[in-house]
Amino acid sequence: MNMRATTLGGIAEDAPTMSEAQRNWRIAAIALLSTRFIQGFIYWGGGSRRFIYAPSKLDPSAPSWMANKFQTAMPGALFGTDHLISFMLTHFYLLYAGVILFSAAELIVGAMLMTGLLTRVAALCSMAFSVLLMAMFGWQGATCIDEWTMAACNLAMGASLLLAGSGAYSLDNVLLHRNPALAGKQWFRWMSGSLPLPQTDSGFRKLALAVLAFVVIFNVGTYNYYRGSVLTSFHGGPVSPTKHHLTLSQAELLPDGSVRFHVYLDAGTPEAPVHVVAAELLNNDKHPVADWDAAVLSKLPKTDFANDYAYNRFEPGPFGIRAKMGAAATVTLPVPASGTIAGARYIQLTDVDGRTFSATLGSNP
């Protein structure tokens, strides 16, 4: 390549001497300037909000602490990231370090993309962020899969920048202008964006098609999993982002007549908590034999809630039992004041929308 044509001032002057391939590549890189800047701004904005404009997101004592956001994502997270989130939520120092490092990485990668510094490295990192965010939060969105849409677009944008680079208007190009010998360095060609990738036309085509295949398969595949509308009809997803769902397990009658069970809020919107307004014991015929109404549930002591996580929790609320998305706890209900535990076979909870959730009772003699 004509090295003078890689400098800002020499582009127009040297354009007549550039080959058609060089000129087309340069035009493509310049055409992606807005994409590069906005892709960078998106990630820079995520990091800067936490470090500069809304530092409460990094304050474990604040309601907006990022751990709460992670916990809301846990029920629908893919590829085992739900187990990773659960592990981090129970190991504070690992969680805090992870939040800080991810926020710093977003800030740095965003700044690198906006300025065009090691553009292809930054673009690859942004693709990794998009995959991670899509796997963790992609299922959420009350009216559409909002988190998936943003991450899917960012994945495609990052892929384009990885292949096309940053062109003339970048710090990569400034480095090349100051040290033209970098043009002969393989690592610089692969990591920066001021020059085309060091590949033949055939090799570049194969790489571009491989990147396209990954982006299409991952984006379309996750969309089909979350909502269908590709290989199947539209559906609400394996985990509903709109309707709260409670999974009850390990339910048992205790010797003193109280009832203990584990409950997990594993579906629904993080924008509003679930309200459990009634609990009942049912016999084999699913008829109630004892109950706890909203007034009783709202007065339960907090010691009756052994929460799995320190962030989103089950707790007594003004209308019964309240919990935010992703909360999980072992709950103990006192001996029912009305009815009898004799013949009780199931424990059933009813939320404010009238939905019921139940589990079979064991015994703990």
Side-chain angles (χ1 to χ4, degrees), residues 84 87-88 91-99:
L84 174 63
F87 182 81
M88 293 180 69
H91 295 80
F92 173 77
Y93 291 107
L94 179 62
L95 172 66
Y96 192 75
V99 170

Side-chain angles (χ1 to χ4, degrees), residues 39 42 46 74 78 102 129 131 183 202-203 213 241 257 270 286 291 295 317 349:
Q39 175 82 328
I42 288 171
M74 184 170 58
L78 298 181
F102 184 80
F129 293 160
V131 168
S202 176
K286 300 294 182 71
D291 67 86
L349 303 182

Side-chain angles (χ1 to χ4, degrees), residues 104-328:
E106 280 192 306
L107 189 74
I108 294 169
V109 167
M112 291 171 65
L113 284 171
M114 285 191 292
T115 60
L117 177 63
L118 298 181
T119 306
R120 289 191 171 96
V121 172
L124 185 62
C125 289
S126 76
M127 292 175 66
F129 293 160
S130 298
V131 168
L132 181 61
L133 292 172
M134 215 183 306
M136 291 172 57
F137 299 99
W139 65 277
Q140 293 183 338
T143 57
C144 63
I145 41 181
D146 309 319
E147 303 284 358
W148 177 91
T149 300
M150 182 174 179
C153 290
N154 285 340
L155 180 60
M157 291 163 68
S160 298
L161 295 171
L162 174 69
L163 295 169
S166 54
Y169 300 99
S170 64
L171 289 182
D172 287 337
N173 202 64
V174 173
L175 293 174
L176 182 62
H177 179 49
R178 292 185 175 182
N179 186 5
L182 289 174
K185 305 293 185 181
Q186 289 284 316
W187 65 267
F188 184 78
R189 299 283 290 267
W190 280 103
M191 296 176 68
S192 72
S194 57
L195 294 171
L197 287 170
Q199 289 190 308
T200 63
D201 288 348
S202 176
F204 182 80
R205 187 182 302 110
K206 291 177 181 177
L207 175 62
L209 291 176
V211 171
L212 171 65
F214 169 74
V215 171
V216 170
I217 291 172
F218 190 85
N219 278 354
V220 176
T222 52
Y223 184 84
N224 185 70
Y225 177 80
Y226 288 135
R227 291 294 181 274
S229 305
V230 180
L231 300 176
T232 67
S233 59
F234 176 84
H235 58 74
V239 177
S240 172
T242 57
K243 296 180 180 179
H244 287 124
H245 182 271
L246 297 168
T247 294
L248 279 63
S249 61
Q250 304 172 32
E252 56 185 355
L253 287 170
L254 301 181
D256 63 357
S258 59
V259 179
R260 183 169 61 202
F261 58 90
H262 187 269
V263 58
Y264 178 30
L265 179 55
D266 56 5
T269 173
E271 305 304 322
V274 68
H275 296 280
V276 176
V277 296
E280 296 174 300
L281 292 178
L282 309 178
N283 60 20
N284 279 326
D285 296 325
K286 300 294 182 71
H287 294 147
V289 296
D291 67 86
W292 299 261
D293 61 18
V296 172
L297 296 176
S298 65
K299 295 177 181 177
L300 291 175
K302 289 188 176 182
T303 53
D304 285 351
F305 298 85
N307 281 279
D308 294 5
Y309 309 106
Y311 310 105
N312 295 348
R313 303 164 65 90
F314 277 90
E315 58 188 1
F319 311 108
I321 297 174
R322 176 177 58 190
K324 292 184 178 181
M325 188 61 194

Side-chain angles (χ1 to χ4, degrees), residues 7 10 30 58 138 210 224 255 258 262 273 276 280 308 328 330 335 338 342-343 359 363:
T7 66
I30 293 175
L58 300 180
N224 185 70
S258 59
H262 187 269
V276 176
E280 296 174 300
D308 294 5
T330 297
V335 178
S338 60
S363 61

Side-chain angles (χ1 to χ4, degrees), residues 16-29:
T17 66
M18 298 173 74
S19 69
E20 186 65 20
Q22 291 169 348
R23 183 174 179 276
N24 290 342
W25 178 82
R26 179 64 67 185
I27 290 173

